[in-house]
Amino acid sequence: MTELRHRAAKDTDPTLQQQPSEDKGSDSELKVEKDGVSDSESKVDSGLPEVPVPPDDTPEVLNKALSGLSSRWKNWWVRGILTLAMISFFFFIIYLGPMVLMMIVLCVQIKCFHEIITIGYSVYHSYHLPWFRTLSWYFLLCVNYFFYGETVTDYFFTLVQREEPLRILSKYHRFISFALYLTGFCMFVLSLVKKHYRLQFYMFGWTHVTLLIVVTQSHLIIHNLFEGMIWFIVPISCVICNDIMAYMFGFFFGRTPLIKLSPKKTWEGFIGGFFATIVFGILLSYVMAGVRYFVCPVEFNNDSNSFQVDCEPSDLFQLQDYALPSILESVTGWTTVRLYPFQIHSIALSTFASIVGPFGGFFASGFKRAFKIKDFANTIPGHGGIMDRFDCQYLMATFVNVYIASFIRGPNPTKVIQQLLALRVDQQLHIFNSLKAHLTEKGLLPALEEAAA
């Protein structure tokens, strides 16, 4: 009877319900989940629905071939084989040219968007929300229309001006883009359903943050590609190299945990990946900087209606002599070293890929931990989804675009002339007279006239 009274009091008294025994409290503090999250953290997040764990999709051939290995080494071989396959595919699409690369970037963007939206759809059980998936894809279409329309107008100006429908679309492009987005916004408001308001606004924000992360970054990747394929290939390769070498160093030498968000990341892998990526970036830049196909900007040839990659390489891709510091001179015995200026820039790209780039992966790890999922999808055996492979690439793309705009790109006379040709004749004459007066005042025009005579 005494025990029954004690249990009844404990059930009715909320203070007694909330106070665990001292032994249980100490055990819960010591107990840590496999992924590094404590029980207290797990209880806080217990109200969040879990996404079903995708089944193992490792090809049966690999499962049979690696059946005798431990799970650790089996995962190592699966990741290694698939990594080599992806690198081979990467080289193949580079061989196919810039147009194919742009299409691949667009396909990757769509797949990443699909993976993140599917997670939101599963986590919040948004199965009964009206128009949710339809509106998500509609907003993706609107944002892509806006960004790629701007790119087409910028890089295909002559073609756009030559075709009447394209010229009209170009002239009113931003208004059309805004009208399309406004239509989607009104559709969302009309789709609001009682008792689902909060969930619908969750998913509205989820969709827009996904668009910001995925579509904007992929658009910047294409802008980098137009500056020259080397600005596309070297940054991506540096991220891939850092990912591989950090994994290798961590696998064989890793002892010291780096960050709680990714328990498998180690300081040994982080430092080893950094130095390996710096060396790799310098060597890859040296190989590519001497090839016009990689260094020339991607331009559209109006005569052949096709892309062309041909130019006189800029000073950035001309070999120059650099004096070595006295410390290196005493070690190597060299007074100067012959390098491409781009190799110096590659050190900045490699450093970012090694030090800041992994934070894109840490961010993705935190996202997956928040929603209790292992990978974004199971598209690539041993690697997860496409987003799992491109979480660092998007951050890298933004840095490269900012770096080019800040330290590399100067005024482009070709684009200025294109804009001038789009003006009315009287506006062109006004600019011509203003420019002539300016050059005459500077004393440059007479000298130019005498040189022409």
Side-chain angles (χ1 to χ4, degrees):
M1 291 294 291
T2 306
E3 184 178 355
L4 289 175
R5 287 195 206 96
H6 178 70
R7 287 184 180 178
K10 188 173 182 179
D11 291 338
T12 55
D13 191 348
T15 60
L16 291 176
Q17 287 181 345
Q18 294 175 1
Q19 290 179 348
S21 63
E22 186 175 343
D23 292 338
K24 288 184 179 179
S26 60
D27 290 342
S28 64
E29 290 176 1
L30 294 174
K31 184 179 178 182
V32 178
E33 295 183 3
K34 293 180 180 179
D35 59 357
V37 182
S38 64
D39 283 345
S40 59
E41 291 174 326
S42 178
K43 289 176 182 178
V44 171
D45 292 338
S46 60
L48 186 68
E50 294 188 22
V51 178
V53 178
D56 181 20
D57 62 342
T58 305
E60 191 63 28
V61 177
L62 289 179
N63 275 329
K64 289 182 179 180
L66 305 174
S67 59
L69 299 176
S70 64
S71 59
R72 182 171 183 260
W73 279 100
K74 179 182 177 181
N75 182 63
W76 190 88
W77 278 103
V78 170
R79 285 177 65 94
I81 293 171
L82 269 296
T83 297
L84 291 176
M86 288 188 289
I87 292 174
S88 301
F89 178 71
F90 181 60
F91 283 128
F92 177 68
I93 60 175
I94 289 173
Y95 170 77
L96 294 178
M99 193 64 184
V100 176
L101 279 173
M102 294 177 201
M103 297 303 298
I104 292 295
V105 170
L106 180 60
C107 292
V108 168
Q109 174 216 117
I110 293 173
K111 180 58 180 171
C112 290
F113 180 83
H114 172 258
E115 290 177 358
I116 299 177
I117 288 298
T118 300
I119 290 174
Y121 189 72
S122 302
V123 165
Y124 291 107
H125 298 296
S126 310
Y127 312 113
H128 304 296
L129 293 184
W131 300 356
F132 164 62
R133 284 199 166 184
T134 303
L135 283 174
S136 296
W137 288 101
Y138 177 81
F139 282 125
L140 176 68
L141 177 66
C142 292
V143 176
N144 271 310
Y145 175 80
F146 171 73
F147 280 122
Y148 285 93
E150 295 278 324
T151 301
V152 168
T153 303
D154 196 18
Y155 289 97
F156 303 87
F157 181 82
T158 307
L159 176 64
V160 169
Q161 292 299 313
R162 194 169 60 195
E163 302 293 336
E164 182 65 24
L166 293 178
R167 186 163 63 248
I168 295 174
L169 289 175
S170 173
K171 184 177 181 180
Y172 301 106
H173 172 70
R174 296 201 173 186
F175 179 80
I176 295 172
S177 300
F178 178 72
L180 289 173
Y181 179 83
L182 200 60
T183 301
F185 178 80
C186 294
M187 290 170 62
F188 168 75
V189 174
L190 292 174
S191 72
L192 291 174
V193 178
K194 191 175 181 180
K195 297 183 180 180
H196 292 291
Y197 293 151
R198 180 180 296 180
L199 180 57
Q200 287 181 286
F201 277 99
Y202 277 158
M203 301 317 301
F204 184 79
W206 184 289
T207 299
H208 280 68
V209 171
T210 305
L211 291 172
L212 177 65
I213 294 174
V214 175
V215 181
T216 306
Q217 311 304 320
S218 63
H219 176 68
L220 295 180
I221 291 177
I222 291 180
H223 265 264
N224 300 339
L225 178 60
F226 272 105
E227 295 294 329
M229 293 180 67
I230 195 170
W231 291 104
F232 173 85
I233 298 171
V234 170
I236 285 182
S237 300
C238 285
V239 172
I240 295 173
C241 174
N242 181 256
D243 189 35
I244 295 173
M245 298 310 297
Y247 176 77
M248 296 291 287
F249 277 95
F251 185 87
F252 290 105
F253 308 108
R255 296 292 183 273
T256 312
L258 175 63
I259 186 171
K260 290 184 178 180
L261 284 173
S262 296
K264 294 182 180 180
K265 305 289 185 183
T266 62
W267 275 104
E268 291 81 1
F270 184 79
I271 296 172
F274 169 75
F275 286 106
T277 305
I278 295 293
V279 174
F280 172 81
I282 294 174
L283 295 177
L284 180 63
S285 299
Y286 181 82
V287 173
M288 296 184 64
V291 183
R292 290 191 179 189
Y293 180 72
F294 295 126
V295 303
C296 290
V298 180
E299 296 179 347
F300 185 77
N301 190 322
N302 297 302
D303 297 328
S304 60
N305 286 331
S306 62
F307 286 102
Q308 67 176 16
V309 184
D310 187 25
C311 68
E312 186 63 33
S314 64
D315 294 338
L316 198 62
F317 306 104
Q318 302 286 348
L319 283 170
Q320 298 181 21
D321 291 325
Y322 292 92
L324 285 176
S326 57
I327 299 177
L328 294 178
E329 183 179 344
S330 61
V331 174
T332 62
W334 302 339
T335 56
T336 61
V337 63
R338 196 165 176 78
L339 297 172
Y340 292 102
F342 180 80
Q343 288 181 269
I344 299 174
H345 293 290
S346 74
I347 296 175
L349 300 179
S350 302
T351 301
F352 185 90
S354 304
I355 296 179
V356 184
F359 279 83
F362 300 153
F363 177 86
S365 296
F367 177 88
K368 290 182 286 187
R369 187 175 295 275
F371 295 102
K372 301 178 183 178
I373 57 177
K374 180 182 178 183
D375 298 310
F376 283 94
N378 59 343
T379 309
I380 310 171
H383 291 268
I386 299 295
M387 191 64 196
D388 290 283
R389 293 299 91 208
F390 282 83
D391 47 11
C392 300
Q393 297 288 4
Y394 285 130
L395 192 62
M396 187 72 190
T398 305
F399 172 74
V400 174
N401 191 268
V402 172
Y403 189 88
I404 292 174
S406 302
F407 304 108
I408 305 299
R409 185 190 297 133
N412 192 334
T414 303
K415 292 184 179 180
V416 174
I417 292 174
Q418 289 177 349
Q419 293 174 349
L420 290 176
L421 294 177
L423 300 175
R424 299 193 309 269
V425 176
D426 60 321
Q427 293 174 326
Q428 293 177 3
L429 288 173
H430 176 72
I431 293 175
F432 171 77
N433 292 326
S434 300
L435 183 60
K436 181 179 179 181
H438 174 73
L439 293 175
T440 303
E441 181 181 351
K442 293 288 185 180
L444 299 174
L445 194 58
L448 293 175
E449 292 176 348
E450 291 175 5

